[in-house]
Amino acid sequence: DAGVTQSPTHLIKTRGQQVTLRCSPKSGHDTVSWYQQALGQGPQFIFQYYEEEERQRGNFPDRFSGHQFPNYSSELNVNALLLGDSALYLCASSLEGGWGEQFFGPGTRLTVL
Amino acid sequence: AQKITQTQPGMFVQEKEAVTLDCTYDTSDQSYGLFWYKQPSSGEMIFLIYQGSYDEQNATEGRYSLNFQKARKSANLVISASQLGDSAMYFCATDPGGFKTIFGAGTRLFVKA
């Protein structure tokens, strides 16, 4: 039973560029959440997708957008990259109706130069 | 505002001893979950334990137990019989309303041989 997978593992971009990160949820899970974790800090909630819709969003600008596909996998897109977007991006999956336990992927380390 | 506070940036414990990691939360929701996650240096977040706001008994999972004091809004993690592999960052989190998860800043635990 595969857990949550994310790709790529590492990514280096320059300011102003756009990036797409991908996530496949744990088998049987239908809800995907994305988090940004800056160095030395706790994860910050970006948004959550369920039934291909963004259900809730944290305090992130519109440069951050996402998508969920019919197979429950998800993408996180960041436009007009800033140096401050450098972070570990974590994807977590869960089951709607469950008690909230999330399974996290290994993360994508994004470096913006 | 909904918030998780972890006041111990770093903690040391001797191998085989017990350690308590502190967590206080602030939420106006009546129904919420409390979670603890472990993050080793590899970066992946590992779920440890869950406590529902209506659960009257403290949650336990193997060597982990959650000391839930609702009136004080605290949800401390107790690790018994510490092992060298327990050295990691530990995050307390809550999901007020059920969708968005809020994490604390974390506590780094060092287990000494």
Side-chain angles (χ1 to χ4, degrees):
Chain A
D1 179 22
V4 180
T5 60
Q6 291 186 245
S7 62
T9 306
H10 295 86
L11 205 51
I12 298 175
K13 292 285 187 179
T14 57
R15 280 176 297 175
Q17 285 189 313
Q18 177 265 343
V19 68
T20 297
L21 310 182
R22 295 176 176 82
C23 171
S24 291
K26 178 179 169 64
S27 178
H29 283 185
D30 55 8
T31 303
V32 173
S33 301
W34 286 92
Y35 297 85
Q36 180 195 66
Q37 187 177 21
L39 200 59
Q41 298 182 20
Q44 299 291 315
F45 176 79
I46 302 175
F47 41 53
Q48 184 180 85
Y49 276 85
Y50 171 68
E51 292 189 337
E52 303 179 48
E53 298 276 339
E54 181 184 294
R55 177 155 67 176
Q56 187 154 10
R57 188 180 185 91
N59 294 325
F60 280 82
D62 292 344
R63 298 187 296 110
F64 289 77
S65 63
H67 190 78
Q68 186 179 34
F69 299 94
N71 67 352
Y72 307 120
S73 67
S74 177
E75 289 181 349
L76 164 65
N77 301 292
V78 188
N79 294 322
L81 285 167
L82 304 174
L83 296 180
D85 295 332
S86 295
L88 179 68
Y89 288 84
L90 294 164
C91 168
S93 74
S94 56
L95 184 61
E96 175 66 12
W99 46 261
E101 177 189 0
Q102 296 181 82
F103 288 81
F104 282 80
T108 293
R109 173 74 62 186
L110 173 65
T111 301
V112 182
L113 302 176
Chain B
Q2 297 149 344
K3 188 178 178 182
I4 292 282
T5 302
Q6 296 181 254
T7 58
Q8 306 154 314
M11 289 280 288
F12 286 86
V13 64
Q14 196 68 40
E15 192 179 12
K16 299 180 185 178
E17 291 185 349
V19 63
T20 298
L21 306 184
D22 294 341
C23 171
T24 58
Y25 61 93
D26 185 10
T27 177
S28 55
D29 288 77
Q30 296 302 308
S31 177
Y32 51 89
L34 294 158
F35 307 83
W36 278 92
Y37 287 88
K38 172 184 178 182
Q39 188 176 43
S41 55
S42 60
E44 189 163 349
M45 299 285 282
I46 301 167
F47 166 78
L48 296 178
I49 195 167
Y50 162 83
Q51 178 88 38
S53 57
Y54 293 114
D55 295 338
E56 294 186 353
Q57 288 199 324
N58 287 340
T60 59
E61 288 285 349
R63 295 186 298 111
Y64 304 106
S65 61
L66 197 153
N67 185 358
F68 180 44
Q69 298 187 43
K70 195 170 184 177
R72 297 180 59 190
K73 292 193 172 181
S74 76
N76 298 341
L77 177 70
V78 180
I79 305 175
S80 62
S82 296
Q83 302 172 356
L84 295 178
D86 293 336
S87 293
M89 281 292 289
Y90 288 81
F91 291 97
C92 180
T94 186
D95 65 345
F99 298 149
K100 170 180 179 178
T101 301
I102 300 167
F103 285 81
T107 295
R108 183 167 292 281
L109 179 65
F110 300 91
V111 181
K112 300 182 291 184

mmCIF file of all heavy atoms in Angstrom, chain A residues 25 28-34 45 47-57 66-74 92-98, chain B residues 98-99:
data_model
loop_
_atom_site.group_PDB
_atom_site.id
_atom_site.type_symbol
_atom_site.label_atom_id
_atom_site.label_comp_id
_atom_site.label_asym_id
_atom_site.label_seq_id
_atom_site.Cartn_x
_atom_site.Cartn_y
_atom_site.Cartn_z
ATOM 1 N N PRO A 25 -2.114 10.985 -3.238
ATOM 2 C CA PRO A 25 -2.504 10.652 -1.865
ATOM 3 C C PRO A 25 -2.367 9.164 -1.563
ATOM 4 O O PRO A 25 -2.209 8.344 -2.466
ATOM 5 C CB PRO A 25 -3.978 11.078 -1.810
ATOM 6 C CG PRO A 25 -4.455 10.929 -3.217
ATOM 7 C CD PRO A 25 -3.276 11.278 -4.086
ATOM 8 N N GLY A 28 -6.991 5.178 -1.101
ATOM 9 C CA GLY A 28 -8.249 5.252 -0.350
ATOM 10 C C GLY A 28 -8.572 6.632 0.201
ATOM 11 O O GLY A 28 -9.686 6.874 0.656
ATOM 12 N N HIS A 29 -7.587 7.532 0.176
ATOM 13 C CA HIS A 29 -7.813 8.890 0.678
ATOM 14 C C HIS A 29 -8.351 9.784 -0.421
ATOM 15 O O HIS A 29 -7.977 9.656 -1.582
ATOM 16 C CB HIS A 29 -6.525 9.469 1.237
ATOM 17 C CG HIS A 29 -6.182 8.938 2.584
ATOM 18 N ND1 HIS A 29 -5.100 9.423 3.314
ATOM 19 C CD2 HIS A 29 -6.751 7.987 3.349
ATOM 20 C CE1 HIS A 29 -5.038 8.782 4.459
ATOM 21 N NE2 HIS A 29 -6.031 7.890 4.500
ATOM 22 N N ASP A 30 -9.237 10.716 -0.044
ATOM 23 C CA ASP A 30 -9.882 11.568 -1.033
ATOM 24 C C ASP A 30 -9.634 13.060 -0.809
ATOM 25 O O ASP A 30 -10.104 13.890 -1.580
ATOM 26 C CB ASP A 30 -11.390 11.301 -1.038
ATOM 27 C CG ASP A 30 -12.024 11.464 0.343
ATOM 28 O OD1 ASP A 30 -11.337 11.936 1.289
ATOM 29 O OD2 ASP A 30 -13.208 11.084 0.485
ATOM 30 N N THR A 31 -8.924 13.403 0.239
ATOM 31 C CA THR A 31 -8.706 14.803 0.597
ATOM 32 C C THR A 31 -7.208 15.091 0.633
ATOM 33 O O THR A 31 -6.442 14.297 1.199
ATOM 34 C CB THR A 31 -9.329 15.092 1.973
ATOM 35 O OG1 THR A 31 -10.723 14.768 1.928
ATOM 36 C CG2 THR A 31 -9.162 16.560 2.346
ATOM 37 N N VAL A 32 -6.822 16.204 0.028
ATOM 38 C CA VAL A 32 -5.404 16.564 -0.023
ATOM 39 C C VAL A 32 -5.223 17.978 0.518
ATOM 40 O O VAL A 32 -5.962 18.892 0.142
ATOM 41 C CB VAL A 32 -4.861 16.492 -1.458
ATOM 42 C CG1 VAL A 32 -3.438 17.041 -1.520
ATOM 43 C CG2 VAL A 32 -4.889 15.053 -1.968
ATOM 44 N N SER A 33 -4.264 18.132 1.402
ATOM 45 C CA SER A 33 -3.907 19.448 1.940
ATOM 46 C C SER A 33 -2.455 19.741 1.610
ATOM 47 O O SER A 33 -1.629 18.824 1.567
ATOM 48 C CB SER A 33 -4.106 19.485 3.461
ATOM 49 O OG SER A 33 -5.444 19.190 3.811
ATOM 50 N N TRP A 34 -2.157 21.009 1.421
ATOM 51 C CA TRP A 34 -0.792 21.446 1.138
ATOM 52 C C TRP A 34 -0.321 22.379 2.248
ATOM 53 O O TRP A 34 -1.084 23.215 2.747
ATOM 54 C CB TRP A 34 -0.730 22.193 -0.193
ATOM 55 C CG TRP A 34 -0.853 21.302 -1.397
ATOM 56 C CD1 TRP A 34 -1.983 20.967 -2.068
ATOM 57 C CD2 TRP A 34 0.225 20.656 -2.081
ATOM 58 N NE1 TRP A 34 -1.679 20.146 -3.124
ATOM 59 C CE2 TRP A 34 -0.326 19.932 -3.161
ATOM 60 C CE3 TRP A 34 1.609 20.609 -1.895
ATOM 61 C CZ2 TRP A 34 0.449 19.188 -4.040
ATOM 62 C CZ3 TRP A 34 2.384 19.878 -2.778
ATOM 63 C CH2 TRP A 34 1.802 19.166 -3.835
ATOM 64 N N PHE A 45 -0.543 26.039 6.773
ATOM 65 C CA PHE A 45 -1.589 25.530 5.892
ATOM 66 C C PHE A 45 -1.769 26.451 4.690
ATOM 67 O O PHE A 45 -1.971 27.663 4.849
ATOM 68 C CB PHE A 45 -2.885 25.429 6.689
ATOM 69 C CG PHE A 45 -4.089 25.007 5.902
ATOM 70 C CD1 PHE A 45 -4.303 23.681 5.588
ATOM 71 C CD2 PHE A 45 -5.016 25.948 5.498
ATOM 72 C CE1 PHE A 45 -5.421 23.289 4.876
ATOM 73 C CE2 PHE A 45 -6.148 25.571 4.793
ATOM 74 C CZ PHE A 45 -6.348 24.245 4.482
ATOM 75 N N PHE A 47 -3.782 25.299 1.502
ATOM 76 C CA PHE A 47 -5.179 25.022 1.176
ATOM 77 C C PHE A 47 -5.448 23.530 1.201
ATOM 78 O O PHE A 47 -4.539 22.707 1.296
ATOM 79 C CB PHE A 47 -5.605 25.610 -0.172
ATOM 80 C CG PHE A 47 -4.616 25.490 -1.300
ATOM 81 C CD1 PHE A 47 -4.050 24.272 -1.660
ATOM 82 C CD2 PHE A 47 -4.262 26.607 -2.026
ATOM 83 C CE1 PHE A 47 -3.151 24.177 -2.699
ATOM 84 C CE2 PHE A 47 -3.364 26.533 -3.079
ATOM 85 C CZ PHE A 47 -2.802 25.320 -3.415
ATOM 86 N N GLN A 48 -6.744 23.216 1.124
ATOM 87 C CA GLN A 48 -7.197 21.829 1.125
ATOM 88 C C GLN A 48 -8.147 21.611 -0.046
ATOM 89 O O GLN A 48 -9.003 22.452 -0.342
ATOM 90 C CB GLN A 48 -7.928 21.487 2.419
ATOM 91 C CG GLN A 48 -8.353 20.021 2.520
ATOM 92 C CD GLN A 48 -9.084 19.707 3.800
ATOM 93 O OE1 GLN A 48 -10.301 19.894 3.908
ATOM 94 N NE2 GLN A 48 -8.357 19.227 4.795
ATOM 95 N N TYR A 49 -8.001 20.440 -0.693
ATOM 96 C CA TYR A 49 -8.857 20.072 -1.806
ATOM 97 C C TYR A 49 -9.657 18.824 -1.481
ATOM 98 O O TYR A 49 -9.136 17.843 -0.927
ATOM 99 C CB TYR A 49 -8.023 19.826 -3.068
ATOM 100 C CG TYR A 49 -7.723 21.106 -3.791
ATOM 101 C CD1 TYR A 49 -6.642 21.890 -3.429
ATOM 102 C CD2 TYR A 49 -8.548 21.552 -4.816
ATOM 103 C CE1 TYR A 49 -6.382 23.089 -4.073
ATOM 104 C CE2 TYR A 49 -8.296 22.747 -5.475
ATOM 105 C CZ TYR A 49 -7.217 23.506 -5.092
ATOM 106 O OH TYR A 49 -6.965 24.696 -5.719
ATOM 107 N N TYR A 50 -10.936 18.897 -1.852
ATOM 108 C CA TYR A 50 -11.838 17.752 -1.686
ATOM 109 C C TYR A 50 -12.841 17.816 -2.829
ATOM 110 O O TYR A 50 -13.370 18.896 -3.137
ATOM 111 C CB TYR A 50 -12.541 17.807 -0.328
ATOM 112 C CG TYR A 50 -13.632 16.786 -0.161
ATOM 113 C CD1 TYR A 50 -13.319 15.430 -0.091
ATOM 114 C CD2 TYR A 50 -14.971 17.158 -0.081
ATOM 115 C CE1 TYR A 50 -14.312 14.474 0.051
ATOM 116 C CE2 TYR A 50 -15.968 16.209 0.069
ATOM 117 C CZ TYR A 50 -15.637 14.878 0.139
ATOM 118 O OH TYR A 50 -16.618 13.937 0.279
ATOM 119 N N GLU A 51 -13.103 16.690 -3.452
ATOM 120 C CA GLU A 51 -14.009 16.623 -4.596
ATOM 121 C C GLU A 51 -13.648 17.667 -5.656
ATOM 122 O O GLU A 51 -14.506 18.354 -6.205
ATOM 123 C CB GLU A 51 -15.471 16.779 -4.150
ATOM 124 C CG GLU A 51 -15.960 15.596 -3.327
ATOM 125 C CD GLU A 51 -17.456 15.634 -3.058
ATOM 126 O OE1 GLU A 51 -18.063 16.731 -3.110
ATOM 127 O OE2 GLU A 51 -18.014 14.559 -2.775
ATOM 128 N N GLU A 52 -12.358 17.786 -5.900
ATOM 129 C CA GLU A 52 -11.804 18.647 -6.943
ATOM 130 C C GLU A 52 -12.055 20.139 -6.709
ATOM 131 O O GLU A 52 -11.893 20.945 -7.628
ATOM 132 C CB GLU A 52 -12.329 18.221 -8.323
ATOM 133 C CG GLU A 52 -12.034 16.757 -8.651
ATOM 134 C CD GLU A 52 -12.569 16.331 -10.009
ATOM 135 O OE1 GLU A 52 -12.331 17.063 -10.987
ATOM 136 O OE2 GLU A 52 -13.213 15.274 -10.081
ATOM 137 N N GLU A 53 -12.429 20.483 -5.480
ATOM 138 C CA GLU A 53 -12.679 21.882 -5.159
ATOM 139 C C GLU A 53 -11.765 22.311 -4.017
ATOM 140 O O GLU A 53 -11.485 21.524 -3.103
ATOM 141 C CB GLU A 53 -14.136 22.088 -4.731
ATOM 142 C CG GLU A 53 -15.174 21.758 -5.789
ATOM 143 C CD GLU A 53 -15.407 22.911 -6.725
ATOM 144 O OE1 GLU A 53 -15.102 24.066 -6.349
ATOM 145 O OE2 GLU A 53 -15.894 22.690 -7.846
ATOM 146 N N GLU A 54 -11.347 23.563 -4.034
ATOM 147 C CA GLU A 54 -10.607 24.116 -2.907
ATOM 148 C C GLU A 54 -11.607 24.375 -1.789
ATOM 149 O O GLU A 54 -12.503 25.214 -1.929
ATOM 150 C CB GLU A 54 -9.907 25.416 -3.314
ATOM 151 C CG GLU A 54 -9.091 26.045 -2.193
ATOM 152 C CD GLU A 54 -8.495 27.374 -2.606
ATOM 153 O OE1 GLU A 54 -7.627 27.416 -3.494
ATOM 154 O OE2 GLU A 54 -8.909 28.405 -2.019
ATOM 155 N N ARG A 55 -11.435 23.699 -0.677
ATOM 156 C CA ARG A 55 -12.428 23.767 0.391
ATOM 157 C C ARG A 55 -12.084 24.826 1.423
ATOM 158 O O ARG A 55 -12.966 25.469 1.965
ATOM 159 C CB ARG A 55 -12.556 22.405 1.049
ATOM 160 C CG ARG A 55 -13.522 22.377 2.219
ATOM 161 C CD ARG A 55 -14.078 21.012 2.446
ATOM 162 N NE ARG A 55 -13.066 20.073 2.903
ATOM 163 C CZ ARG A 55 -13.343 18.817 3.244
ATOM 164 N NH1 ARG A 55 -14.577 18.378 3.175
ATOM 165 N NH2 ARG A 55 -12.388 18.002 3.635
ATOM 166 N N GLN A 56 -10.812 24.979 1.715
ATOM 167 C CA GLN A 56 -10.407 26.018 2.658
ATOM 168 C C GLN A 56 -9.006 26.479 2.297
ATOM 169 O O GLN A 56 -8.211 25.706 1.753
ATOM 170 C CB GLN A 56 -10.437 25.499 4.094
ATOM 171 C CG GLN A 56 -10.187 26.574 5.139
ATOM 172 C CD GLN A 56 -10.809 26.258 6.486
ATOM 173 O OE1 GLN A 56 -11.276 25.152 6.714
ATOM 174 N NE2 GLN A 56 -10.814 27.227 7.375
ATOM 175 N N ARG A 57 -8.711 27.723 2.634
ATOM 176 C CA ARG A 57 -7.453 28.321 2.249
ATOM 177 C C ARG A 57 -6.850 29.052 3.428
ATOM 178 O O ARG A 57 -7.557 29.681 4.232
ATOM 179 C CB ARG A 57 -7.687 29.301 1.100
ATOM 180 C CG ARG A 57 -6.436 29.849 0.483
ATOM 181 C CD ARG A 57 -6.764 30.820 -0.640
ATOM 182 N NE ARG A 57 -5.555 31.272 -1.312
ATOM 183 C CZ ARG A 57 -5.006 30.693 -2.359
ATOM 184 N NH1 ARG A 57 -5.588 29.633 -2.897
ATOM 185 N NH2 ARG A 57 -3.901 31.164 -2.900
ATOM 186 N N GLY A 66 -4.042 25.700 -6.835
ATOM 187 C CA GLY A 66 -3.946 24.252 -6.851
ATOM 188 C C GLY A 66 -5.015 23.618 -7.702
ATOM 189 O O GLY A 66 -5.865 24.299 -8.303
ATOM 190 N N HIS A 67 -4.937 22.319 -7.710
ATOM 191 C CA HIS A 67 -5.903 21.551 -8.494
ATOM 192 C C HIS A 67 -5.957 20.151 -7.919
ATOM 193 O O HIS A 67 -4.938 19.633 -7.439
ATOM 194 C CB HIS A 67 -5.449 21.510 -9.965
ATOM 195 C CG HIS A 67 -6.493 20.950 -10.885
ATOM 196 N ND1 HIS A 67 -7.578 21.673 -11.310
ATOM 197 C CD2 HIS A 67 -6.613 19.726 -11.435
ATOM 198 C CE1 HIS A 67 -8.327 20.904 -12.101
ATOM 199 N NE2 HIS A 67 -7.762 19.728 -12.198
ATOM 200 N N GLN A 68 -7.138 19.567 -7.972
ATOM 201 C CA GLN A 68 -7.264 18.155 -7.622
ATOM 202 C C GLN A 68 -7.920 17.429 -8.787
ATOM 203 O O GLN A 68 -8.901 17.914 -9.366
ATOM 204 C CB GLN A 68 -8.092 17.947 -6.356
ATOM 205 C CG GLN A 68 -8.111 16.472 -5.909
ATOM 206 C CD GLN A 68 -8.909 16.233 -4.645
ATOM 207 O OE1 GLN A 68 -9.922 16.889 -4.402
ATOM 208 N NE2 GLN A 68 -8.466 15.286 -3.831
ATOM 209 N N PHE A 69 -7.393 16.294 -9.133
ATOM 210 C CA PHE A 69 -7.860 15.520 -10.275
ATOM 211 C C PHE A 69 -8.860 14.447 -9.832
ATOM 212 O O PHE A 69 -8.945 14.131 -8.637
ATOM 213 C CB PHE A 69 -6.652 14.905 -10.987
ATOM 214 C CG PHE A 69 -5.690 15.927 -11.513
ATOM 215 C CD1 PHE A 69 -4.596 16.321 -10.758
ATOM 216 C CD2 PHE A 69 -5.892 16.525 -12.742
ATOM 217 C CE1 PHE A 69 -3.713 17.286 -11.222
ATOM 218 C CE2 PHE A 69 -5.011 17.484 -13.218
ATOM 219 C CZ PHE A 69 -3.936 17.874 -12.452
ATOM 220 N N PRO A 70 -9.589 13.882 -10.785
ATOM 221 C CA PRO A 70 -10.581 12.850 -10.418
ATOM 222 C C PRO A 70 -9.988 11.663 -9.655
ATOM 223 O O PRO A 70 -10.701 10.995 -8.909
ATOM 224 C CB PRO A 70 -11.158 12.423 -11.769
ATOM 225 C CG PRO A 70 -11.006 13.636 -12.633
ATOM 226 C CD PRO A 70 -9.715 14.260 -12.205
ATOM 227 N N ASN A 71 -8.705 11.389 -9.861
ATOM 228 C CA ASN A 71 -8.090 10.272 -9.136
ATOM 229 C C ASN A 71 -7.556 10.711 -7.773
ATOM 230 O O ASN A 71 -6.825 9.974 -7.126
ATOM 231 C CB ASN A 71 -6.962 9.638 -9.963
ATOM 232 C CG ASN A 71 -5.784 10.571 -10.143
ATOM 233 O OD1 ASN A 71 -5.854 11.752 -9.782
ATOM 234 N ND2 ASN A 71 -4.710 10.063 -10.713
ATOM 235 N N TYR A 72 -7.923 11.919 -7.347
ATOM 236 C CA TYR A 72 -7.590 12.514 -6.043
ATOM 237 C C TYR A 72 -6.174 13.082 -5.964
ATOM 238 O O TYR A 72 -5.854 13.734 -4.967
ATOM 239 C CB TYR A 72 -7.810 11.546 -4.883
ATOM 240 C CG TYR A 72 -9.186 10.932 -4.857
ATOM 241 C CD1 TYR A 72 -9.355 9.551 -4.932
ATOM 242 C CD2 TYR A 72 -10.308 11.739 -4.760
ATOM 243 C CE1 TYR A 72 -10.619 8.989 -4.916
ATOM 244 C CE2 TYR A 72 -11.577 11.183 -4.756
ATOM 245 C CZ TYR A 72 -11.731 9.804 -4.832
ATOM 246 O OH TYR A 72 -12.982 9.251 -4.830
ATOM 247 N N SER A 73 -5.353 12.861 -6.973
ATOM 248 C CA SER A 73 -4.024 13.466 -6.935
ATOM 249 C C SER A 73 -4.165 14.984 -7.052
ATOM 250 O O SER A 73 -5.230 15.499 -7.427
ATOM 251 C CB SER A 73 -3.143 12.915 -8.053
ATOM 252 O OG SER A 73 -3.642 13.318 -9.316
ATOM 253 N N SER A 74 -3.099 15.680 -6.731
ATOM 254 C CA SER A 74 -3.211 17.134 -6.642
ATOM 255 C C SER A 74 -1.933 17.808 -7.109
ATOM 256 O O SER A 74 -0.845 17.203 -7.118
ATOM 257 C CB SER A 74 -3.498 17.533 -5.193
ATOM 258 O OG SER A 74 -3.554 18.936 -5.027
ATOM 259 N N ALA A 92 -0.377 16.420 2.334
ATOM 260 C CA ALA A 92 -0.941 15.468 3.287
ATOM 261 C C ALA A 92 -2.280 14.989 2.766
ATOM 262 O O ALA A 92 -3.050 15.773 2.203
ATOM 263 C CB ALA A 92 -1.120 16.121 4.656
ATOM 264 N N SER A 93 -2.555 13.713 2.952
ATOM 265 C CA SER A 93 -3.853 13.193 2.533
ATOM 266 C C SER A 93 -4.611 12.659 3.736
ATOM 267 O O SER A 93 -4.026 12.272 4.752
ATOM 268 C CB SER A 93 -3.692 12.112 1.457
ATOM 269 O OG SER A 93 -3.208 10.894 2.005
ATOM 270 N N SER A 94 -5.924 12.671 3.598
ATOM 271 C CA SER A 94 -6.794 12.185 4.662
ATOM 272 C C SER A 94 -8.084 11.682 4.037
ATOM 273 O O SER A 94 -8.319 11.835 2.836
ATOM 274 C CB SER A 94 -7.071 13.284 5.693
ATOM 275 O OG SER A 94 -7.622 14.420 5.058
ATOM 276 N N LEU A 95 -8.916 11.093 4.873
ATOM 277 C CA LEU A 95 -10.181 10.551 4.398
ATOM 278 C C LEU A 95 -11.323 11.402 4.935
ATOM 279 O O LEU A 95 -11.427 11.605 6.158
ATOM 280 C CB LEU A 95 -10.330 9.099 4.865
ATOM 281 C CG LEU A 95 -11.573 8.344 4.380
ATOM 282 C CD1 LEU A 95 -11.594 8.257 2.859
ATOM 283 C CD2 LEU A 95 -11.600 6.946 4.996
ATOM 284 N N GLU A 96 -12.142 11.914 4.048
ATOM 285 C CA GLU A 96 -13.297 12.706 4.450
ATOM 286 C C GLU A 96 -14.181 11.885 5.379
ATOM 287 O O GLU A 96 -14.479 10.721 5.097
ATOM 288 C CB GLU A 96 -14.091 13.144 3.219
ATOM 289 C CG GLU A 96 -15.379 13.876 3.506
ATOM 290 C CD GLU A 96 -15.158 15.230 4.165
ATOM 291 O OE1 GLU A 96 -14.003 15.691 4.183
ATOM 292 O OE2 GLU A 96 -16.141 15.817 4.638
ATOM 293 N N GLY A 97 -14.592 12.494 6.482
ATOM 294 C CA GLY A 97 -15.421 11.772 7.425
ATOM 295 C C GLY A 97 -14.631 11.068 8.503
ATOM 296 O O GLY A 97 -15.195 10.540 9.460
ATOM 297 N N GLY A 98 -13.316 11.043 8.341
ATOM 298 C CA GLY A 98 -12.471 10.448 9.367
ATOM 299 C C GLY A 98 -12.265 11.430 10.509
ATOM 300 O O GLY A 98 -12.849 12.513 10.529
ATOM 301 N N GLY B 98 -12.291 21.285 11.589
ATOM 302 C CA GLY B 98 -12.122 20.035 10.869
ATOM 303 C C GLY B 98 -11.393 20.082 9.556
ATOM 304 O O GLY B 98 -11.064 19.058 8.988
ATOM 305 N N PHE B 99 -11.137 21.263 8.998
ATOM 306 C CA PHE B 99 -10.511 21.302 7.673
ATOM 307 C C PHE B 99 -9.057 21.758 7.719
ATOM 308 O O PHE B 99 -8.189 21.127 7.155
ATOM 309 C CB PHE B 99 -11.284 22.237 6.745
ATOM 310 C CG PHE B 99 -12.703 21.807 6.493
ATOM 311 C CD1 PHE B 99 -13.692 22.740 6.254
ATOM 312 C CD2 PHE B 99 -13.045 20.471 6.509
ATOM 313 C CE1 PHE B 99 -14.999 22.344 6.028
ATOM 314 C CE2 PHE B 99 -14.353 20.064 6.283
ATOM 315 C CZ PHE B 99 -15.332 21.002 6.038
#
